[in-house]
């Protein structure tokens, strides 16, 4: 089994703990080598996310492949963003909001936006979540002024189910997608 999932254009590659440690120590050459892609210096701007995910992985090594994936362009092995699940499925914070499933988040770096890369990456994560982990409910929390992300989740048939106040990010709209097991994510 390969270490990544892919389409013709992009692949998602796990950003393992070792890569996160390299990024956090400033050794982006090592991180690039470990990822087999160039551009891990872009992750330096996501220091808080890298620290958070590393702490989660160290507390529960089983989360290593689920939490953070590099979005890499196949044509030139360039890291163009990241995507992942925030926690394991049915995390307590979701259950407290009356939600089941797993929350996903994504970022595509500025020069690569508006090319459909985020949509492709989200579809891959959903399909992979279904296949590898038997997840059928996906949650996205999005700032109400993040028009591109709202358009993306609506295009993929997520439904707005509520609003909450994130301690760090402020108000967020909550969107949920329930995918039937037999669709394999293909209906997205």
């Amino acid at each position: 089994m390969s270490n990544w999932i892919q389409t013709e254009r992009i692949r998602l590659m796990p950003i393992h703990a070792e890569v996160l440690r390299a990024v956090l120590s400033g050794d982006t050459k090592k991180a690039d080598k470990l990822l087999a892609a160039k551009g891990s210096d872009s992750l330096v701007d996501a220091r808080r996310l890298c620290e958070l995910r590393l702490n989660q992985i160290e507390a529960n090594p089983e989360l290593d492949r689920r939490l953070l994936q590099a979005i890499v362009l196949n044509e030139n092995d360039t890291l163009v963003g990241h995507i992942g699940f925030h926690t394991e499925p049915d995390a307590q914070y979701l259950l407290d909001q009356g939600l089941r499933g797993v929350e996903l988040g994504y970022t595509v770096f500025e020069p690569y936006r508006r090319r459909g890369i985020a949509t492709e990456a989200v579809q891959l994560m959903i399909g992979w979540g279904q296949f590898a982990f038997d997840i059928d409910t996906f949650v996205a929390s999005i700032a109400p002024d993040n028009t591109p992300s709202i358009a993306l989740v609506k295009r993929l048939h997520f439904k707005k189910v509520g609003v909450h106040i994130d301690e760090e990010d402020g108000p967020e709209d909550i969107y949920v997608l329930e995918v039937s097991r037999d669709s394999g994510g293909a209906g997205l």
Side-chain angles (χ1 to χ4, degrees):
M1 182 173 170
S2 71
N3 202 23
W4 63 79
I5 51 179
Q6 68 182 350
T7 65
E8 188 174 316
R9 182 167 62 151
I10 65 169
R11 66 183 179 271
L12 304 184
M13 303 179 66
I15 300 177
H16 294 293
E18 190 176 1
V19 176
L20 293 170
R21 285 187 197 97
V23 168
L24 290 169
S25 73
D27 191 348
T28 56
K29 286 184 181 182
K30 180 178 180 180
D32 282 356
K33 185 176 180 182
L34 291 167
L35 278 175
K38 56 186 173 272
S40 63
D41 55 327
S42 300
L43 293 172
V44 172
D45 292 337
R47 182 171 191 82
R48 186 176 63 90
L49 175 67
C50 292
E51 289 170 344
L52 174 65
R53 297 300 180 241
L54 180 58
N55 289 336
Q56 287 176 286
I57 292 167
E58 288 174 343
N60 182 356
E62 288 184 21
L63 294 175
D64 189 42
R65 288 194 71 215
R66 299 180 203 186
L67 291 182
L68 202 56
Q69 302 273 329
I71 304 171
V72 178
L73 285 179
N74 289 328
E75 69 182 76
N76 58 10
D77 297 323
T78 299
L79 176 70
V80 297
H82 52 80
I83 189 168
F85 300 135
H86 292 311
T87 59
E88 60 202 327
D90 299 332
Q92 190 60 50
Y93 80 98
L94 289 173
L95 296 174
D96 290 346
Q97 297 177 55
L99 299 169
R100 298 193 61 79
V102 67
E103 185 172 9
L104 62 93
Y106 50 88
T107 296
V108 172
F109 304 136
E110 184 60 45
Y112 303 98
R113 292 181 183 163
R114 308 224 185 319
R115 298 182 189 183
I117 293 170
T119 301
E120 216 169 309
V122 169
Q123 289 174 311
L124 274 173
M125 281 300 288
I126 290 170
W128 180 64
Q130 278 192 286
F131 176 76
F133 305 109
D134 203 26
I135 301 167
D136 60 8
T137 303
F138 300 87
V139 178
S141 299
I142 303 171
D145 62 348
N146 187 340
T147 307
S149 278
I150 291 169
L152 184 156
V153 296
K154 285 183 175 180
R155 199 169 37 255
L156 296 179
H157 308 291
F158 280 71
K159 303 290 183 228
K160 183 177 174 183
V161 298
V163 177
H164 79 108
I165 306 296
D166 184 89
E167 290 179 11
E168 293 183 29
D169 299 325
E172 293 181 326
D173 294 334
I174 302 171
Y175 293 85
V176 173
L177 174 70
E178 293 182 13
V179 184
S180 68
R181 188 75 181 134
D182 59 350
S183 75
L188 301 176

